[in-house]
Amino acid sequence: MAGKRLLRVAVEGCCHGELDKIYDTMRHLETQSGKAIDLLICCGDFQAVRNMDDLECLACPPKYRALNTFWKYYTGRATAPYPTLFIGGNHEAMNYLWELYYGGWVAPNIYYLGHAGVIKFGGIRIGGMSGIFNGGHYKQGHWEKPPYDNSSMRSAYHVRELDVYRLLQIHRPLDVFLSHDWPRGIAHHGNKAQLFRAKPFLRQEIEEGSLGSPPGEQILHELQPSHWFSAHLHVKYAALVAHSHQQHRQGQGRGQKRKSPSRGPSPPPVLGQTGRNKFTKFLALDKCLPRRGFLQVVEFPEVEGPLEFGYDEEWLGVLQATHHLMSTNRQQTPLPGMGCTRIAVSDAQLQQLKKKLQQHNNGAIPLNFVPTAPGHDPSAPSPKGRMPRQLPRNPQTEKFLEMLGLAYNLDQQSRQYVPPRR
């Protein structure tokens, strides 16, 4: 096995389907520095639009809808030159991303992390959640399905409590966490004066504590990842969050409860303390436009692992333990302890999952991309797209659930929640 190495990751803000430009920028940076880039991470608004029908599912005014360049990678006319990982934002073809709710290949070498997920790459552990926060839909199930209307097209990308609950079960350290919108309160941990100069209209929301995602804030302070990357607000902004030892993993044990995040902005970091403080380096990036801070290379020294996407056994254990909680109705299945109970994955379960993964491609995510809809053909007439009426089962998702011994649970049909027998 190869020894430890330097891992270089390009982090990009809002993609908006501009893959060609992003990859060209990465090549330019490699030429300038003389150093290879190992991975591209996109922090939402990726816009995996395959055809004109997908455009009908994209939540934005029709005059701004454009195919851009993803379809070329989906159809094989172009190949992604770097392993590419992304989360969803608030401008996505949600019909396609729903097929891969648990994560999967949207095109060769381009991987969607899922609505929530944790995977491995090159020796680092990457977690994240797609979408943005909206309190009106947070405690609902994933009920949206085609044909979407203007409302459901948008609520489909709103973060759900179940996905956050699953992420909060993670105990082992994360190197990176991804979100589209910022965690609430993060602006207080950076240069606010600089932010106000760039985005003066954000001042009121920041000062009243309403800017950002409350679940994101909770995840930040409980999981305490080394790095957190976001996008959404179309501005480059860095911050440093100091976590006190007292904050660390409140309610760690199985069946214990954790505290909900406090209201209002987080306090500023207390720097220079000795002892057990841990820091999260936050970085938000802009959208892909000339002379904008939309991409930055982050280095991870002394890491060891294959340069391929791999399953994370702890996350798989969380999915197994919470599979019965999934709801495709408006009403969310009740969460244990009203969402406050922690269900740690045991060491025995982790060992069983490690053994299972060794039997499945040695833990590497299989290269099993399968197109489930026609790709755009520029030589054919381009009539207006039609809103899809139903969604196919993606073979990747079926294989993934089969590997875990779980039933397929993404068919969005009316069904009543039945509490488990005691």
Side-chain angles (χ1 to χ4, degrees):
M1 178 180 246
K4 293 186 177 180
R5 65 191 299 276
L6 175 70
L7 185 73
R8 302 186 78 239
V9 178
V11 184
E12 196 274 335
C14 296
C15 175
H16 292 295
E18 298 287 4
L19 281 174
D20 285 356
K21 294 177 182 178
I22 294 167
Y23 290 142
D24 286 346
T25 302
M26 293 172 65
R27 293 188 187 98
H28 176 70
L29 292 175
E30 285 184 325
T31 300
Q32 277 191 325
S33 66
K35 299 177 182 178
I37 296 173
D38 301 302
L39 172 67
L40 169 64
I41 292 176
C42 297
C43 298
D45 287 355
F46 186 80
Q47 297 183 10
V49 175
R50 302 165 293 180
N51 51 45
M52 299 298 290
D53 291 352
D54 283 354
L55 272 184
E56 295 298 305
C57 302
L58 192 67
C60 68
K63 66 179 180 179
Y64 294 119
R65 290 175 180 168
L67 283 172
N68 292 322
T69 59
F70 170 77
W71 66 269
K72 296 194 295 185
Y73 299 89
Y74 178 80
T75 59
R77 288 174 179 258
T79 301
Y82 305 90
T84 300
L85 175 68
F86 76 95
I87 56 169
N90 60 313
H91 300 296
E92 305 289 358
M94 291 305 297
N95 59 315
Y96 189 23
L97 297 190
W98 176 255
E99 295 178 25
L100 299 169
Y101 170 85
Y102 296 103
W105 303 102
V106 295
N109 217 25
I110 303 177
Y111 193 83
Y112 172 50
L113 187 59
H115 280 49
V118 180
I119 63 170
K120 300 174 182 178
F121 183 90
I124 64 173
R125 226 174 152 221
I126 305 170
M129 61 179 174
S130 293
I132 63 172
F133 175 75
N134 181 296
H137 299 119
Y138 182 60
K139 291 183 176 291
Q140 295 183 359
H142 288 284
W143 56 268
E144 299 88 351
K145 61 182 178 180
Y148 302 113
D149 58 25
N150 284 332
S151 176
S152 62
M153 190 185 301
R154 287 162 174 78
S155 64
Y157 57 69
H158 290 156
V159 171
R160 297 308 207 265
E161 186 179 23
L162 172 61
D163 300 318
V164 173
Y165 176 76
R166 284 171 163 164
L167 288 164
L168 288 170
Q169 312 313 314
I170 294 297
H171 286 259
R172 296 159 64 198
L174 290 176
D175 299 289
V176 172
F177 194 87
L178 311 175
S179 68
H180 187 58
D181 52 353
W182 299 12
R184 185 179 62 176
I186 195 67
H188 295 282
H189 297 262
N191 188 335
K192 285 192 290 185
Q194 183 184 53
L195 180 59
F196 292 154
R197 285 194 296 272
K199 299 284 183 178
F201 56 88
L202 296 179
R203 180 186 290 270
Q204 182 177 348
E205 290 181 81
I206 291 171
E207 291 181 346
E208 68 186 16
S210 61
L211 180 74
S213 165
E217 180 187 28
Q218 185 176 8
I219 292 170
L220 169 66
H221 291 297
E222 289 217 31
L223 302 193
Q224 302 180 8
S226 298
H227 295 265
W228 186 299
F229 302 129
S230 294
H232 191 45
L233 296 181
H234 298 169
V235 64
K236 185 175 182 179
Y237 188 69
L240 184 67
V241 181
H243 305 284
S244 69
H245 178 56
Q246 287 74 22
Q247 275 181 317
H248 183 62
R249 305 315 305 252
Q250 296 169 346
Q252 279 213 11
R254 176 183 290 272
Q256 292 184 353
K257 292 186 176 182
R258 48 170 165 45
K259 294 182 180 179
S260 299
S262 60
R263 293 184 178 272
S266 302
V270 181
L271 303 180
Q273 293 184 356
T274 58
R276 305 184 184 182
N277 276 9
K278 183 180 178 182
F279 295 88
T280 296
K281 297 177 181 179
F282 173 83
L283 179 64
L285 290 158
D286 208 331
K287 59 182 174 180
C288 181
L289 286 174
R291 295 178 294 279
R292 302 280 281 269
F294 69 89
L295 190 142
Q296 182 161 318
V297 175
V298 179
E299 295 185 340
F300 296 83
E302 296 294 304
V303 297
E304 185 175 14
L307 297 180
E308 61 186 12
F309 295 119
Y311 291 123
D312 183 88
E313 56 270 14
E314 185 182 20
W315 178 247
L316 300 186
V318 169
L319 290 181
Q320 287 181 326
T322 59
H323 189 67
H324 66 288
L325 299 175
M326 182 67 173
S327 169
T328 54
N329 295 323
R330 284 182 182 265
Q331 182 178 358
Q332 171 59 49
T333 305
L335 301 180
M338 298 181 68
C340 293
T341 301
R342 189 170 294 289
I343 47 171
V345 180
S346 69
D347 290 340
Q349 288 173 295
L350 289 175
Q351 290 304 315
Q352 290 177 353
L353 285 163
K354 284 181 180 179
K355 185 175 180 180
K356 180 185 288 286
L357 290 178
Q358 288 173 353
Q359 300 168 352
H360 287 80
N361 209 25
N362 204 28
I365 296 174
L367 305 178
N368 58 353
F369 166 71
V370 178
T372 54
H376 174 64
D377 182 357
S379 66
S382 297
K384 187 178 184 295
R386 295 182 178 180
M387 172 69 70
R389 310 300 294 182
Q390 58 185 9
L391 297 176
R393 289 189 176 189
N394 195 298
Q396 294 180 70
T397 301
E398 291 182 309
K399 289 290 185 183
F400 175 75
L401 292 173
E402 180 182 326
M403 177 186 75
L404 295 180
L406 301 174
Y408 189 90
N409 63 348
L410 301 182
D411 288 333
Q412 292 160 310
Q413 55 190 5
S414 178
R415 65 186 184 200
Q416 185 175 1
Y417 166 68
V418 178
R421 293 181 179 179
R422 297 187 179 277

